[in-house]
Amino acid sequence: MNQEDIQQYEKIERYLRNELSAEELEAFQTELLKDTSLQENVELHKICEEILFCAGVAELQKKLEHQKELYIQKQAQKKLWLGGALIFVGTGIIGSIAYWQSIQPNKLSKDLIQEKAISEYLYNATDTQMTSPQSLTTKREISSSQNYNKNSASISQQNFSKDLFAEPLSTESRPISEPSITSLAESQSTPVLVKPDIPKTENQSTVAQEELTSLREISSSENPLYEPLKSQYREFIFAPLNGEYWEFPVQQEGAQLQIFDKYGVLVYSTTVTGYSYQDRWDGRRTNGEELPLGVYQYRFVLLDRSEQIGSITIVK
Amino acid sequence: MIRRRYSDVEIIDAIRKGEETSGMIEYLYNKHLPKIVQYIRKNNGTREQAFDIFQDALLSLCIEIKKNRYKQEYELGGFLFQICKNKWINEAKKLQKMLVSDQTPEITYEQTALDIVLSAEKQSMVQQALSQIGEKCQQLLIYSTFHRLSMKEICAKMGFSTENAAKTQNYKCKQKLLEVIKRNPVLYETFSKS
């Protein structure tokens, strides 16, 4: 390669890059107008630059494309992270809520168990108190009926049966149950009415006593002192705040209902009407005040003066 | 993760020298893309379209800088946004035309520099031409002509011992390419027109 070519090449390069000084540029342009080979050379150089520019742009484009993909990937990763974090936080919150809710009922139930234990204890205490006057009244009845026996030969069917039944019972101070009385009365009624002789009645009475002892044995083996009460003792639970009602388990019209709180204070009392929309309790006092959560004792006094008792628990 | 912040001047200088790092481009993405996505979505575009448009805009920015048409007074974000806006308007017009008549989509919008430079036909021609001069020459010429690096910088990048060696190598490569162009009239034709 000769020196001239290199010089020309450098000049063309500088011309294309606008690096020539004003004088040089003028000289070059005048030369360019004259020399066609130079024109061609410049044109070639231009094309050369153009091609290289294209190549450079292509390279750049590749680079940018790659960068874009990277960016999209990063965005997706960010989203993943965000999603993961959200899930994590969400489960944390839900978990803590669930934990709280699992704790609170436990507390409540513990309280309730304690309250129940107390109320049961109270109930037992009152029950023993209540039985003693009952036994007293039966004793009185017995004494009066015994007097009656001495005074009058003709004994009324009911008194007779009651007397017979009450005598052995009174020694053990057991409350009288109605069905046994009536059954006894039925079995006894005919012979007594037909032949009211004294020796016969004595016979009858021994027979009756035998029957009674057998009855008593059955009743004592099957129903010891508090057993009937405890089996009748029913427990209910309801949430009046949720609009629930406690439907009375007793539908007998005219039965009396009393509800006591844990201190034994009467908080509600009503008479059973026999209509289901009235025979229910909404967890309020008789005057309409809301009662706190807790265990309450209820007592139904039926028409035959027997009682049904149990507890009613108000929950949230 | 600590992200470096770059000033506009820094970025433009880097692009001019062809030394833009992936960190810089990521920074541009993080800083300017959200606005553009918002704009394009407001104007019936999708997120993916916004990404494409932004990438084209970045390329346009690079070309503008390479061609020395980018002025230092421009605000980079505003410039990018303006390019994206114009591109999206063109795109929308194109799409509308396509919807109206599928047969011959008339190109009425102004073709951008990018469209002219990067038609697939030209691209393949360039590839073919450059493949004839060897990979090293190709790289060297791109450094010297496209990125306008000084011989000193090329020495450092390509591993030449002296500046002179790089210079002569560059001259030789240039001559090779000129020969290729001379021998290829089709190439000559297509590029002399533009």
Side-chain angles (χ1 to χ4, degrees), chain A residues 2-44:
Chain A
N2 57 51
Q3 207 63 34
E4 261 182 42
D5 275 354
I6 293 174
Q7 270 182 357
Q8 198 192 31
Y9 155 80
E10 274 181 357
K11 228 174 200 172
I12 293 168
E13 289 270 281
R14 284 171 67 201
Y15 166 69
L16 286 175
R17 288 185 190 192
N18 286 326
E19 283 171 5
L20 291 173
S21 63
E23 285 170 31
E24 279 177 310
L25 186 67
E26 222 170 274
F28 188 81
Q29 274 171 340
T30 48
E31 209 179 325
L32 195 63
L33 283 172
K34 285 181 212 161
D35 195 342
T36 48
S37 73
L38 183 64
Q39 277 176 22
E40 216 166 281
N41 247 344
V42 168
E43 191 63 31
L44 270 175

Side-chain angles (χ1 to χ4, degrees), chain A residues 12-19 45-46 49-50 52-53, chain B residues 13 15-19 63 65-69 139-154 170 174:
Chain A
I12 293 168
E13 289 270 281
R14 284 171 67 201
Y15 166 69
L16 286 175
R17 288 185 190 192
N18 286 326
E19 283 171 5
H45 267 95
K46 265 189 188 169
E49 291 233 324
E50 193 78 36
L52 287 171
F53 192 83
Chain B
D13 277 351
I15 290 171
R16 182 169 288 136
K17 282 183 184 167
E19 285 169 344
I63 290 167
I65 290 167
K66 290 288 180 202
K67 287 195 167 176
N68 263 329
R69 288 200 298 235
Q139 195 62 52
L140 179 60
L141 285 178
I142 285 172
Y143 275 140
S144 66
T145 318
F146 183 64
H147 294 316
R148 304 260 162 107
L149 297 182
S150 71
M151 285 305 150
K152 207 176 178 183
E153 285 166 316
I154 290 171
N170 187 40
K174 199 84 176 227

Side-chain angles (χ1 to χ4, degrees), chain B residues 115-164:
Chain B
D115 290 319
I116 296 160
V117 169
L118 291 174
S119 68
E121 210 183 326
K122 270 188 183 177
Q123 198 74 43
S124 66
M125 271 184 187
V126 166
Q127 285 299 324
Q128 211 191 343
L130 286 177
S131 66
Q132 288 173 38
I133 62 166
E135 214 153 283
K136 206 173 179 188
C137 263
Q138 202 178 319
Q139 195 62 52
L140 179 60
L141 285 178
I142 285 172
Y143 275 140
S144 66
T145 318
F146 183 64
H147 294 316
R148 304 260 162 107
L149 297 182
S150 71
M151 285 305 150
K152 207 176 178 183
E153 285 166 316
I154 290 171
C155 270
K157 282 205 170 181
M158 306 274 299
F160 288 110
S161 53
T162 59
E163 268 182 57
N164 248 343

Side-chain angles (χ1 to χ4, degrees), chain A residues 81-261:
Chain A
W81 274 106
L82 248 169
L86 266 177
I87 288 165
F88 185 75
V89 169
T91 46
I93 290 167
I94 290 164
S96 59
I97 288 169
Y99 179 67
W100 266 107
Q101 286 197 337
S102 69
I103 277 180
Q104 278 176 335
N106 277 348
K107 268 189 187 171
L108 200 77
S109 61
K110 264 184 196 169
D111 286 353
L112 286 182
I113 287 162
Q114 272 187 344
E115 266 183 33
K116 246 180 202 174
I118 292 166
S119 61
E120 241 160 76
Y121 172 77
L122 280 170
Y123 164 74
N124 284 342
T126 50
D127 195 55
T128 46
Q129 280 174 1
M130 278 168 72
T131 47
S132 51
Q134 247 185 345
S135 58
L136 274 174
T137 52
T138 46
K139 267 179 188 171
R140 260 182 230 146
E141 263 182 63
I142 292 152
S143 58
S144 63
S145 59
Q146 273 175 341
N147 290 335
Y148 213 81
N149 256 339
K150 283 172 189 171
N151 291 340
S152 62
S154 63
I155 305 151
S156 81
Q157 174 201 333
Q158 263 201 335
N159 269 343
F160 176 70
S161 62
K162 250 190 188 171
D163 192 22
L164 273 175
F165 189 69
E167 208 170 17
L169 272 178
S170 64
T171 51
E172 286 185 49
S173 75
R174 183 169 302 179
I176 305 154
S177 58
E178 290 287 326
S180 58
I181 294 167
T182 50
S183 65
L184 197 75
E186 275 167 23
S187 63
Q188 295 282 325
S189 59
T190 39
V192 173
L193 279 172
V194 172
K195 287 182 180 178
D197 299 327
I198 297 159
K200 272 188 181 177
T201 49
E202 272 179 9
N203 275 335
Q204 285 294 325
S205 69
T206 51
V207 171
Q209 273 205 334
E210 273 170 26
E211 271 182 39
L212 255 175
T213 48
S214 65
L215 249 171
R216 194 178 64 201
E217 271 164 20
I218 291 161
S219 65
S220 64
S221 62
E222 281 177 2
N223 305 323
L225 186 55
Y226 289 116
E227 217 63 355
L229 288 174
K230 278 202 174 163
S231 64
Q232 283 166 20
Y233 189 86
R234 296 171 70 182
E235 292 175 354
F236 293 91
I237 188 160
F238 82 123
L241 291 177
N242 292 353
E244 284 178 24
Y245 289 95
W246 174 53
E247 309 283 350
F248 295 163
V250 170
Q251 262 100 46
Q252 194 179 44
E253 200 184 333
Q256 292 288 324
L257 165 67
Q258 293 169 316
I259 294 171
F260 303 89
D261 66 8

